[in-house]
Amino acid sequence: MTETIATIRWRALDRDGEDKCRLAHLDGGYMLVGHARFRDGAGWAALDYVVRIGADWRTLSADVTGTHGGGDLALRLINEDGDWTLNGDPQPDLAGCEDVDFAFTPATNLMPLRRLPDVGRLTTRSAWLRLPGPALSSLDQSYTRERGNLVAYSAEQTGFATQLAVDATGFVTTYPGLWEADV
């Protein structure tokens, strides 16, 4: 049985697009269910995603289905104790990843943000899914709680850094230049 904890809707700031997401409590863990619609360099995308999360806020599995760049997309990522598969194929380069990070939505920042202590820093490795491609690689990330509802975020492999605004649930409400929550 699922019980909705929170819902959020974002609008894209760098392109035409939106994303709607629901966080639900599921027996023994949580689930993110989202619907991203956007236009990028490959054209229009309509992607639905489901992320299953353990009670420890680490990713157990994730599915992405829909269309992107005129083609169908159906991906299933499974994490079994740090060993990942994509559509059944082992992904040894993702060994040790704790989360998924879908580049097309701010929703997947939720898991590390939920593990972030009230004071301090969290480093984590995520299975980073980018489109077009799909391209999948590991991404080392750092989250540092700052004053108020602000969190400093950085990604080691890309050198990207920003300051995220988050709500009490752990959802990103402002991802500067990329996403903003509709309120």
Side-chain angles (χ1 to χ4, degrees):
M1 178 170 172
T2 62
E3 171 193 347
T4 298
I5 297 172
T7 59
I8 192 165
R9 179 182 170 141
W10 296 279
R11 63 183 177 87
L13 302 175
D14 64 335
R15 59 189 164 185
D16 292 329
E18 67 177 17
D19 188 1
K20 300 175 199 171
C21 185
R22 176 174 67 99
L23 172 64
H25 188 261
L26 188 64
D27 295 333
Y30 304 90
M31 184 169 55
L32 281 176
V33 179
H35 312 282
R37 308 295 185 254
F38 57 89
R39 185 177 66 198
D40 63 11
W44 279 100
L47 300 175
D48 298 318
Y49 56 91
V50 175
V51 181
R52 289 160 208 83
I53 307 159
D56 61 358
W57 291 101
R58 287 173 174 76
T59 301
L60 301 173
S61 67
D63 296 290
V64 179
T65 58
T67 60
H68 181 259
D72 291 336
L73 189 68
L75 304 173
R76 169 165 274 185
L77 283 158
I78 296 175
N79 175 14
E80 292 184 13
D81 299 320
D83 293 323
W84 291 78
T85 59
L86 173 62
N87 293 343
D89 296 328
Q91 302 294 307
D93 291 346
L94 302 180
C97 289
E98 298 178 285
D99 300 300
V100 294
D101 185 332
F102 297 153
F104 61 85
T105 177
T108 51
N109 291 98
L110 176 78
M111 290 81 76
L113 286 168
R114 290 297 297 235
R115 295 194 312 270
L116 181 63
D118 289 339
V119 175
R121 180 175 188 217
L122 172 81
T123 57
T124 187
R125 176 170 284 171
S126 293
W128 185 35
L129 176 70
R130 298 168 316 286
L131 299 173
L136 187 62
S137 62
S138 63
L139 183 65
D140 295 305
Q141 300 171 313
S142 173
Y143 295 83
T144 304
R145 186 147 337 254
E146 297 184 337
R147 60 181 163 69
N149 63 340
L150 301 177
V151 173
Y153 168 81
S154 64
E156 184 177 316
Q157 287 83 346
T158 64
F160 178 78
T162 194
Q163 191 175 56
L164 307 173
V166 300
D167 67 13
T169 304
F171 278 127
V172 172
T173 56
T174 303
Y175 203 125
L178 297 174
W179 294 98
E180 187 171 78
D182 276 345
V183 287

